[in-house]
């Protein structure tokens, strides 16, 4: 049930003592990094000043920009000969972010991933088909090392080659599937096309993350694949997957607080918000050697809760990520996140969970078009029925989100499928 009972279920008191000690060590470590040394010296802060966890809010934020400005290795706290692995995330603009790991970091990451995989019921008897991309992306190797540490059999499928994935799911008796939620949906689609159903498989659970997905999408994936679908969160700058993981209770993701300290801030002012309030997640690493990071602004929006969880883990839980501050589209002044639209589409039903948002501008007016696929039978049905459905989605979007969007029902399988992170928004506005 647990991978590391001692760490995952420790009392809050002990946890906080451990965090304090490790935070102090981290501040010592970052003083070796010119970027942090400069900032910490300018505010006159030394490792010895870390006497309470509340000091955290006096520490500087780290942003994506800091990684870019110091590309490639400027934030590293160890000499290069201690690095045993690099990963990198491409991002959409500018230089990639490069991250490095010492041998100790790789071992800690494997431990975190073993905990995460165990949350979904992975044991040494499991067959884990890992369809996260292998390579510079942290998803592939992150899951791989955790599954091997447990002693499960890993199928290092990586992304793509979907028909072959289905064949392996069936023939290898895969019990745990790991990939993005959008790829899980695509796998389900291809499985049915190949004339197979969940009864032909031994799949039990899926560990899906790397992109936002709604509760409604979870239900779709669970019913199509006949599994329990759990959410895993992480980001390259912090370690990769394995920062937080949902347990079988499915009521939030436990953040592995003996390695990371989370905070929620108001993204506009930087002010720390209390538990329960939604804002931007900020993470501090407290065990990383190669790349310790103070107060990293993730841009991901969520909230934290300390309510006891039935699973017995004592680590704080974060809600599903509702969006990213930079994923948010502002349509005529209204903030919209793709997951909100996904949720409405799936709630109205009769459409497929494949959609894309196209934003354009006519004169000074923003226009949002929601393209969503309908089923084969629906598409060949009477125009009137399609129009009615468009109308229903339109009014539901208007009442829930307060925006007037154009709904376009499109042919089945016309929206590009993704093998990794789905591209939900196409913003064609010129700013
Ligand atoms: O996506 C690491 C990962 C791999 C996580 C596999 C989970 C599974 P990056 O490519 O650096 O790392 O992207 C990190 O992806 O800041 C979030 O915006 C988003 N993200 C990751 N997990 C989730 C999730 C990997 N469960 C960025 N829900 C993060 C929503 C997620 N968004």
């Amino acid at each position: 049930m647990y991978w590391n009972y001692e760490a995952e279920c420790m009392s809050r008191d002990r946890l906080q003592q451990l965090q304090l000690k490790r935070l102090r060590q981290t501040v010592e470590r970052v003083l070796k990094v010119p970027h942090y040394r400069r900032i910490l010296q300018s505010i006159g802060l030394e490792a010895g000043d870390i006497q309470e966890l509340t000091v955290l809010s006096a520490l500087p934020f780290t942003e994506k920009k800091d990684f870019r400005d110091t590309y490639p290795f400027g934030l590293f706290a160890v000499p290069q000969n201690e690095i045993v692995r690099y990963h990198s995330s491409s991002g959409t603009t500018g230089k990639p972010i490069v991250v490095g790991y010492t041998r100790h970091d790789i071992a800690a990451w494997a431990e975190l991933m073993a905990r995460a995989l165990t949350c979904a019921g992975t044991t040494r008897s499991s067959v884990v088909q890992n369809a996260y991309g292998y390579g510079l992306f942290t998803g592939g190797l992150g899951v791989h090392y955790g599954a091997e540490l447990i002693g499960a059999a890993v199928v290092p499928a990586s992304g793509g080659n979907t028909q072959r994935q289905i064949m392996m799911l069936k023939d290898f008796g895969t019990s745990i599937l790991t990939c993005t939620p959008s790829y899980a949906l695509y796998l389900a689609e291809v499985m049915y096309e190949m004339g197979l159903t969940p009864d032909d498989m031994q799949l039990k659970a899926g560990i899906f993350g790397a992109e936002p997905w709604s509760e409604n999408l979870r239900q779709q994936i669970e019913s199509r694949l006949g599994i329990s679908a759990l959410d895993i969160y992480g980001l390259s700058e912090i370690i990769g997957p394995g920062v937080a993981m949902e347990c079988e209770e499915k009521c939030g993701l436990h953040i592995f607080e003996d390695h990371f300290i989370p905070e929620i801030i108001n993204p506009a002012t930087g002010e720390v918000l209390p538990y329960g309030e939604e804002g931007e997640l900020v993470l501090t690493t407290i065990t990383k050697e190669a790349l310790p990071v103070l107060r990293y602004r993730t841009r991901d929006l969520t909230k934290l809760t300390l309510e006891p969880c039935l699973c017995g883990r004592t680590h704080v839980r974060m809600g599903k990520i509702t969006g990213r501050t930079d994923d948010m589209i502002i349509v005529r002044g209204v903030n919209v996140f793709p997951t909100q639209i996904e949720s409405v589409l799936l709630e109205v039903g009769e459409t497929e969970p494949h959609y894309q948002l196209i934003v354009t501008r006519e004169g000074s007016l923003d226009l949002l078009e929601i393209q969503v696929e309908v089923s084969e039978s629906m598409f060949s049905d009477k125009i009137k029925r399609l129009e009615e459905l468009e109308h229903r989605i339109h009014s539901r979007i208007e009442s829930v989100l307060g925006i007037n969007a154009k709904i376009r029902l499109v042919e089945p399988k016309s929206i590009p499928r993704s093998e990794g992170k789905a591209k939900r928004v196409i913003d064609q506005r010129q700013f």
Side-chain angles (χ1 to χ4, degrees):
M1 177 165 182
Y2 310 107
W3 176 253
N4 185 341
Y5 174 80
E6 173 69 15
E8 294 171 69
C9 302
M10 79 172 65
S11 75
R12 297 294 304 173
D13 268 0
R14 271 198 55 213
L15 178 66
Q16 284 174 353
Q17 280 168 26
L18 184 67
Q19 286 182 325
L20 184 61
K21 183 176 113 201
R22 291 183 169 175
L23 179 63
R24 207 177 292 131
Q25 289 166 349
T26 298
V27 170
E28 256 159 42
R29 225 174 271 142
V30 298
L31 283 166
K32 297 185 198 135
V33 181
H35 168 85
Y36 284 117
R37 191 166 55 238
R38 204 174 40 248
I39 302 177
L40 292 177
Q41 282 176 351
S42 76
I43 57 173
L45 202 131
E46 290 172 11
D49 297 332
I50 312 284
Q51 296 296 336
E52 282 180 69
L53 283 173
T54 48
V55 180
L56 190 62
S57 61
L59 300 179
F61 289 121
T62 307
E63 306 207 32
K64 218 181 227 345
K65 183 177 178 302
D66 299 317
F67 280 84
R68 296 225 158 98
D69 290 350
T70 56
Y71 171 88
F73 308 137
L75 293 183
F76 286 21
V78 297
Q80 244 181 297
N81 61 7
E82 285 187 40
I83 302 288
V84 299
R85 172 104 62 84
Y86 293 113
H87 279 283
S88 162
S89 83
S90 53
T92 42
T93 49
K95 297 225 181 78
I97 304 257
V98 180
V99 296
Y101 304 76
T102 62
R103 196 172 294 287
H104 175 268
D105 292 334
I106 292 287
W109 189 17
E111 147 85 21
L112 291 167
M113 281 308 305
R115 289 185 200 175
L117 285 151
T118 305
C119 284
T122 310
T123 65
R124 58 192 305 271
S125 320
S126 306
V127 177
V128 178
Q129 187 159 326
N130 184 13
Y132 284 114
Y134 278 66
L136 287 169
F137 177 56
T138 52
L141 287 177
V143 170
H144 189 104
Y145 273 58
E148 275 197 358
L149 183 60
I150 292 177
V154 194
V155 184
S158 198
N161 223 329
T162 307
Q163 296 214 346
R164 194 185 60 185
Q165 299 261 5
I166 304 291
M167 193 183 78
M168 290 191 297
L169 278 177
K170 176 169 167 288
D171 296 344
F172 293 12
T174 300
S175 45
I176 308 283
L177 171 67
T178 58
C179 61
T180 57
S182 54
Y183 192 51
L185 209 54
Y186 183 36
L187 281 166
E189 186 174 83
V190 175
M191 176 183 82
Y192 286 102
E193 274 171 15
M194 289 168 71
L196 297 168
T197 71
D199 289 342
D200 299 303
M201 314 271 172
Q202 290 173 49
L203 260 185
K204 293 195 175 61
I207 302 179
F208 305 128
E211 64 186 6
W213 52 309
S214 62
E215 274 303 328
N216 285 339
L217 188 58
R218 185 208 307 268
Q219 282 161 24
Q220 290 277 339
I221 295 176
E222 291 192 329
S223 73
R224 288 177 191 210
L225 284 175
I227 57 171
S228 174
L230 298 174
D231 196 356
I232 182 164
Y233 172 82
L235 60 167
S236 331
E237 294 89 325
I238 295 301
I239 201 160
V243 172
M245 173 73 196
E246 235 172 15
C247 61
E248 273 296 343
E249 299 300 322
K250 296 183 190 164
C251 56
L253 295 81
H254 292 279
I255 302 181
F256 295 125
E257 282 182 286
D258 51 332
H259 290 261
F260 313 105
I261 305 183
E263 298 168 276
I264 297 290
I265 63 162
N266 173 334
T269 62
E271 170 208 4
V272 178
L273 299 176
Y275 284 144
E277 280 190 38
E278 177 157 300
E280 180 181 336
L281 178 68
V282 169
L283 290 165
T284 298
T285 70
I286 48 173
T287 52
K288 288 263 297 293
E289 288 181 346
L291 191 52
V293 182
L294 296 184
R295 304 190 83 205
Y296 185 65
R297 291 193 58 162
T298 64
R299 304 277 162 202
D300 294 318
L301 298 168
T302 185
K303 55 186 175 201
L304 302 178
T305 176
L306 256 183
E307 299 232 330
C309 183
L310 286 176
C311 78
R313 290 180 183 81
T314 49
H315 293 179
V316 71
R317 278 168 293 150
M318 62 179 226
K320 259 179 138 16
I321 300 284
T322 52
R324 283 181 61 78
T325 52
D326 44 10
D327 233 22
M328 182 177 79
I329 40 180
I330 305 180
V331 183
R332 278 177 251 163
V334 181
N335 300 348
V336 186
F337 292 103
T339 42
Q340 291 176 300
I341 292 184
E342 176 180 294
S343 203
V344 172
L345 290 174
L346 296 178
E347 178 204 306
V348 174
E350 298 192 73
T351 58
E352 293 292 304
H354 300 285
Y355 66 96
Q356 213 159 36
L357 315 179
I358 321 271
V359 200
T360 51
R361 179 168 283 169
E362 246 180 49
S364 60
L365 204 62
D366 296 327
L367 301 175
L368 171 65
E369 177 173 288
I370 303 175
Q371 296 187 353
V372 56
E373 286 182 13
V374 285
S375 62
E376 203 76 63
S377 61
M378 184 81 183
F379 198 71
S380 46
D381 212 327
K382 296 211 173 58
I383 299 264
K384 191 152 179 303
R385 239 188 106 202
L386 290 172
E387 280 175 356
E388 267 168 20
L389 178 58
E390 277 181 0
H391 184 72
R392 233 175 324 135
I393 297 175
H394 179 271
S395 35
R396 193 74 193 129
I397 294 275
E398 188 157 43
S399 69
V400 177
L401 300 173
I403 49 168
N404 183 0
K406 180 172 177 344
I407 312 299
R408 197 148 81 84
L409 300 178
V410 298
E411 247 179 283
K413 313 208 171 109
S414 59
I415 290 176
R417 302 293 187 254
S418 86
E419 291 166 358
K421 302 188 190 228
K423 185 163 172 54
R424 301 292 192 198
V425 182
I426 301 182
D427 197 336
Q428 298 171 335
R429 291 174 293 188
Q430 311 275 325
F431 289 100

